[in-house]
């Protein structure tokens, strides 16, 4: 059965949905549930709130479009609210009063996303917005929305806009026949006073809304101008038509309006470029076009590098990390590269660490002393006994037979996954800086770091070196016959050689000395020094609840697990326990004193406890976003207590993630539970006290959607 994207039951007009973003999103999610389109409004709301944390979804004209892909809905769904009290969604015009919740099913086909992208395009049309503002009934609003959803767009995103039709046709004909192109197939000569030819890429993380709104904002702005001809490629989730090579070759300048990496960025090598976050193209399309026109005639303008990586840079640029020439500052590039490396490394850590834990569960902890011999010398047809020979000496294990063998195999798989973490960190840092040519040198540098004992510190250094060197070599001007060999042979070869020589001759041993000193310090921790480290780690885990500080503490813990020493396992336990505190404490707080929390917070509290028990710190983000001054200090206090108690009791964890699902890998278990309970109690009491004696003005009854729809 095909469901309509929007129905009158999904519309609420002139309602007060609360004073904060989570309030509005939660009420819209309940509207979706009331209409029978989801059985899990909390999951739907959380997915949209998580997307909102990455970048506000406010757009011009007082409109907001929170959106997400989630398994909480089975069909593409729109909920619309016209608010009587506006809420700031970080839009350029202040508070938003027209709010759409766009929900796309997880794994839904591209046809679903095409429907949703049509709505996003319509939101830049003033006549459509006026229809929504003046709709008398939900049926009127649904009629206006369905009209734009069912209207076939007359002009694709890659249709030339701006300048006269004849000029565009002439330019296209010239491009097709390569008139004016140089002998080596480069860009045509300047059109001598004709319209400036610009190509643009728009992309946002989910690829549902902002991608297409930015494209249409640029397109509609260019349509009213005679000095520019614009082509846009949308790199969103619905089907996209790439720019043709001849159009790129004919372009005088490029606009990248993205919050994610540009796919196939190398196509634009050598073109003057203006780069920003996707929302700037929605808010300031005319300014960006003017900047691109200026760059086209400026010989010193920033250009797309030949070996430039598809770094996740635009969001940083939008946040203020741009250089004077319109690109990212080097500090931001390096920061983004390190975070990229960490994000690619974490799956190795999670998979490897959990497999190690399962190995212990099946084979027993003493299996770690002979796992390699058990896994390689025995089989399902030749199971080991209690006593086996390892390196010429007999060893006796508590378990035998199938359990011991399966445990050793799981442990072996986990060990191999863990052996990649430094190389993956280094390789993907280099990838973020230099694209694919940086991957091999980065992995080589990471492997050398492990060989020399430089560990994850060495991996950070080699990743940055490999990325910067590969990007520099990629910028060399080389003959055409050598150009095709650069990314697959020359750059990896030269970069691997330089990084390897630097590590062996200059950097490796000093970095290994730093790592050895750090490991010795960690191994010698006892008493007050261990407690102090636990406090610091607990504070970091609860400061931004999944943000950069939280991730830094987690990286510190997981990177040490590969050594297998007791101190590293103690750090891992403290970090995991502290990260579990905030969602559990806040969930309990909403149950103990519900009147201190908004309806949206109480709804979040129903599921936050499970997220906390699973070690998903992000479950506390809705509470912190709505009331940071009361929530964050309370959570940090509890995290500090948990970290201190865990380290003081010498609790260790062999698993890097999982919370209560990996209790079998934690020792002593009673110490871990005691630390978790102590920190949770402190956070619970602190947040209740702050909310009681320093009341939150926004806490007020929120009208339920069922009563106002």
């Amino acid at each position: 059965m095909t469901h309509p994207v929007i129905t009158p039951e999904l519309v609420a007009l002139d309602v007060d949905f609360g004073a904060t973003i989570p309030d509005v999103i939660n009420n819209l999610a309940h509207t979706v549930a009331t209409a029978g389109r989801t059985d899990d409004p909390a999951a739907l709301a959380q997915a949209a709130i998580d997307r909102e944390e990455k970048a506000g979804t406010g757009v011009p004209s007082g409109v907001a479009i929170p959106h997400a892909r989630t398994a909480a809905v089975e069909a593409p769904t729109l909920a619309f609210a016209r608010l009587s009290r506006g809420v700031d969604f970080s839009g350029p015009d202040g508070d938003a009063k027209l709010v759409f919740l766009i929900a796309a099913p997880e794994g839904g086909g591209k046809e679903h996303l095409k429907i949703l992208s049509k709505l996003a395009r319509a939101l830049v049309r003033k006549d459509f917005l006026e229809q929504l503002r003046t709709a008398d009934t939900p049926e009127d609003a649904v009629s206006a929305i369905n009209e734009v959803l069912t209207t076939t767009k007359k002009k694709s995103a890659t249709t030339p806009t701006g300048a006269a039709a004849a000029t565009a046709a002439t330019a296209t004909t010239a491009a097709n026949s390569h008139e004016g192109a140089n002998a080596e197939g480069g860009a045509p000569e300047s059109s001598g006073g004709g319209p400036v030819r610009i190509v643009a890429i728009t992309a946002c993380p989910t690829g549902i809304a902002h991608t297409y709104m930015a494209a249409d904002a640029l397109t509609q702005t260019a349509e009213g101008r005679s000095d520019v001809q614009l082509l846009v490629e949308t790199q969103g989730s619905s089907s996209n038509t790439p720019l043709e090579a001849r159009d790129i070759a004919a372009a005088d300048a490029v606009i990248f309006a993205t919050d994610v990496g540009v796919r196939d960025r190398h196509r634009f090598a050598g073109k003057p470029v203006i780069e920003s976050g996707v929302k700037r193209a929605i808010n300031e399309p005319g300014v960006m076009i003017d900047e691109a026109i200026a760059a086209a005639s400026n010989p010193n303008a920033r250009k797309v590098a030949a070996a430039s990586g598809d770094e996740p840079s635009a969001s940083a640029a939008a946040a203020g990390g741009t250089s004077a020439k319109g690109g990212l500052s080097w500090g931001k590039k390096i920061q983004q590269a390190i975070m990229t490396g960490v994000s690619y490394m974490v799956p190795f850590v999670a998979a490897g660490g959990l497999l190690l834990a399962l190995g212990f569960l099946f084979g027993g902890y003493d299996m770690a002393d002979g796992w390699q011999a058990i896994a390689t010398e025995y089989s399902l047809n030749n199971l080991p006994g209690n006593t086996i020979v390892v390196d010429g000496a007999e060893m006796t294990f508590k378990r035998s037979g199938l359990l011991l063998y399966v445990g050793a195999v799981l442990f072996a798989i986990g060990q191999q996954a863990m052996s990649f973490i430094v190389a993956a960190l280094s390789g993907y840092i280099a990838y973020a800086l230099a694209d694919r040519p940086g991957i091999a040198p980065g992995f080589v540098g990471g492997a050398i770091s492990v060989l020399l004992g430089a560990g994850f510190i060495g991996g950070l250094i080699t990743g940055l070196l490999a990325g910067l060197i590969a990007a520099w070599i990629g910028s060399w001007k080389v003959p055409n016959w050598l150009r095709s060999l650069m990314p697959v042979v020359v750059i990896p070869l030269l970069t691997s050689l330089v990084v390897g020589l630097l590590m062996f001759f200059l950097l490796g041993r000093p970095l290994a000395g730093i790592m050895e000193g750090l490991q010795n310090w960690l191994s010698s921790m006892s008493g007050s020094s261990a407690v102090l480290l636990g406090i610091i780690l607990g504070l970091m885990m609860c400061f931004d609840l999944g943000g950069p500080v939280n991730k830094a503490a987690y990286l510190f813990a997981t990177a040490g697990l590969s050594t297998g020493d007791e101190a590293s396992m103690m750090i891992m336990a403290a970090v995991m326990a502290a990260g579990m505190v905030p969602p559990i404490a806040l969930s309990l707080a909403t149950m103990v004193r519900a009147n201190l929390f908004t309806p949206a917070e109480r709804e979040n509290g129903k599921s936050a406890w499970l997220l906390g028990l699973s070690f998903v710190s992000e479950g506390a983000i809705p509470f912190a976003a709505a009331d940071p001054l009361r929530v964050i200090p309370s959570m940090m206090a509890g995290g500090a207590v948990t970290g201190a108690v865990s380290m003081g009791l010498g609790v260790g964890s062999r698993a890097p993630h999982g919370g209560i699902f990996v209790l079998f890998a934690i020792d002593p278990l009673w110490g871990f539970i005691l630390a978790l309970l102590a920190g949770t109690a402190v956070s619970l009491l602190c947040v209740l006290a702050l909310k009681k004696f320093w009341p939150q003005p926004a806490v007020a009854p929120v009208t339920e959607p069922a009563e106002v729809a």
Side-chain angles (χ1 to χ4, degrees):
M1 178 180 176
T2 302
H3 295 280
V5 176
I6 188 168
T7 64
E9 292 76 21
L10 291 165
V11 175
L13 299 180
D14 303 320
V15 293
D16 185 342
F17 270 0
T20 67
I21 291 173
D23 288 343
V24 175
I25 291 176
N26 272 285
N27 277 313
L28 280 166
H30 279 289
T31 302
V32 175
T34 302
R37 302 295 285 269
T38 181
D39 295 325
D40 194 351
L44 169 58
Q46 190 59 54
I49 291 169
D50 290 344
R51 168 62 185 87
E52 201 73 29
E53 289 293 322
K54 297 176 182 177
T57 57
V59 295
S61 303
V63 178
I65 47 169
H67 54 275
R69 288 195 227 180
T70 172
V73 296
E74 296 182 356
T77 300
L78 302 179
F80 169 63
R82 190 171 67 200
L83 303 179
S84 60
R85 173 170 50 157
V87 174
D88 186 2
F89 277 78
S90 302
D93 302 333
D95 291 349
K97 288 194 172 183
L98 302 179
V99 183
F100 285 92
L101 176 62
I102 304 179
E106 213 166 52
K110 289 186 175 181
E111 289 303 315
H112 295 163
L113 297 173
K114 284 182 182 179
I115 296 172
L116 300 177
S117 67
K118 284 185 178 181
L119 172 69
R121 293 180 183 277
L123 292 177
V124 298
R125 286 174 33 195
K126 293 182 180 179
D127 59 331
F128 173 59
L129 296 178
E130 187 60 26
Q131 285 181 286
L132 297 179
R133 291 192 180 96
T134 58
D136 293 324
T137 65
E139 287 77 9
D140 292 340
V142 170
S143 176
I145 293 168
N146 280 332
E147 184 179 351
V148 301
L149 293 182
T150 56
T151 299
T152 302
K153 188 171 177 63
K154 295 180 180 180
K155 186 181 297 181
S156 70
T158 54
T159 300
T161 61
T167 305
T170 302
T172 303
T173 303
N176 288 338
S177 60
H178 295 277
E179 291 177 9
N182 61 37
E184 295 181 359
E189 296 293 324
S190 172
S191 56
V196 175
R197 293 162 295 191
I198 300 173
V199 291
I201 300 291
T202 62
C204 67
T206 54
I208 295 175
H210 288 81
T211 299
Y212 304 100
M213 293 180 69
D216 275 17
L218 290 168
T219 299
Q220 291 182 19
T221 300
E223 283 177 345
R225 301 177 57 152
S226 60
D227 58 344
V228 65
Q229 175 188 320
L230 178 72
L231 292 167
V232 184
E233 175 185 322
T234 53
Q235 295 187 349
S237 298
S238 60
S239 58
N240 307 304
T241 304
L243 289 163
E244 295 189 18
R246 62 174 178 266
D247 294 322
I248 297 174
D252 300 310
V254 179
I255 293 174
F256 291 151
T258 72
D259 286 336
V260 291
V262 175
R263 291 199 294 267
D264 299 323
R265 187 183 179 113
H266 61 272
R267 295 175 293 162
F268 306 92
K271 296 291 183 183
V273 63
I274 298 300
E275 190 164 7
S276 79
V278 68
K279 285 188 69 175
R280 185 171 182 237
I282 300 172
N283 299 338
E284 301 178 345
V287 175
M288 292 199 72
I289 290 174
D290 289 339
E291 291 175 354
I293 292 173
S297 59
N298 180 5
N300 298 318
R302 177 173 174 262
K303 294 179 173 60
V304 181
S308 178
D310 291 350
E311 66 268 24
S313 59
S315 59
T322 55
S323 68
K325 293 185 178 181
L328 286 182
S329 65
W330 276 108
K332 282 292 181 181
K333 284 184 178 180
I334 290 173
Q335 177 189 354
Q336 291 288 335
I338 292 174
M339 292 306 294
T340 299
V342 171
S343 68
Y344 278 101
M345 182 200 76
V346 166
F348 288 91
V349 175
L354 291 172
L355 284 166
L356 292 178
L358 288 172
F360 285 127
L361 177 65
F362 281 85
Y365 292 121
D366 57 351
M367 172 271 304
D369 298 324
W371 64 270
Q372 189 167 359
I374 299 170
T376 57
E377 297 175 12
Y378 293 88
S379 68
L380 291 173
N381 296 323
N382 178 31
L383 295 173
N386 288 94
T387 303
I388 66 171
V389 177
V390 179
D391 294 331
E394 283 193 353
M395 293 189 65
T396 301
F397 301 93
K398 293 181 180 179
R399 297 179 184 174
S400 63
L402 183 62
L403 283 178
L404 181 61
Y405 176 66
V406 170
V409 168
L410 291 172
F411 194 88
I413 298 171
Q415 282 281 25
Q416 300 316 302
M418 292 292 286
S419 70
F420 280 102
I421 62 175
V422 174
L425 175 67
S426 178
Y428 287 107
I429 289 175
Y431 165 71
L433 291 170
D435 202 7
R436 291 175 183 82
I439 292 180
F443 268 82
V444 169
I448 294 172
S449 296
V450 174
L451 176 65
L452 297 178
F456 79 94
I457 294 178
L460 287 171
I461 300 299
T462 56
L464 293 172
L465 283 175
L468 295 172
I469 293 170
W472 173 62
I473 295 175
S475 68
W476 293 355
K477 296 188 182 300
V478 297
N480 284 342
W481 62 267
L482 184 58
R483 190 173 300 159
S484 61
L485 294 176
M486 290 292 288
V488 294
V489 178
V490 178
I491 297 175
L493 171 63
L494 293 180
T495 306
S496 298
L497 177 62
V498 172
V499 171
L501 292 177
L502 284 173
M503 286 298 290
F504 277 105
F505 292 167
L506 186 63
L507 299 174
R509 287 173 178 80
L511 291 174
I514 293 173
M515 276 299 298
E516 183 178 0
L518 178 61
Q519 290 171 359
N520 290 339
W521 173 67
L522 294 176
S523 300
S524 65
M525 284 188 315
S526 62
S528 60
S529 62
V531 170
L532 177 61
L533 180 60
I535 291 172
I536 294 171
L537 292 172
L539 291 171
M540 293 176 69
M541 288 299 295
C542 299
F543 173 70
D544 54 0
L545 305 169
V549 177
N550 172 285
K551 287 294 187 289
Y554 183 70
L555 171 62
F556 177 64
T558 54
L561 272 187
S562 60
T563 64
D565 63 274
E566 184 178 350
S568 297
M569 289 187 285
M570 288 170 58
I571 292 171
M572 189 70 253
V575 163
M576 182 154 61
M580 295 168 67
V581 165
I584 298 174
L586 288 164
S587 180
L588 291 174
T590 62
M591 299 175 190
V592 174
R593 293 295 300 274
N595 62 309
L596 297 177
F597 296 87
T598 66
E601 289 172 329
R602 293 197 292 269
E603 188 63 33
N604 284 327
K606 294 177 182 178
S607 59
W609 63 272
L610 181 58
L611 295 174
L613 291 175
S614 305
F615 183 36
V616 180
S617 305
E618 288 83 351
I621 286 177
F623 299 91
D627 188 16
L629 296 180
R630 295 165 185 78
V631 170
I632 292 177
S634 303
M635 298 306 105
M636 291 176 67
V641 169
T642 293
V645 173
S646 179
M647 292 293 288
L649 295 177
V651 180
S653 173
R654 292 177 171 85
H657 213 291
I660 61 168
F661 300 104
V662 293
L663 292 180
F664 60 84
I666 297 173
D667 185 57
L669 179 58
W670 65 267
F672 184 83
I673 295 174
L674 178 61
L676 182 60
L677 290 175
T680 300
V682 169
S683 286
L684 173 64
L685 293 174
C686 287
V687 75
L688 290 179
L690 285 175
K691 283 183 175 288
K692 178 177 176 58
F693 299 109
W694 182 22
Q696 181 183 358
V699 175
V702 178
T703 307
E704 293 296 330
E707 300 173 1
V708 298

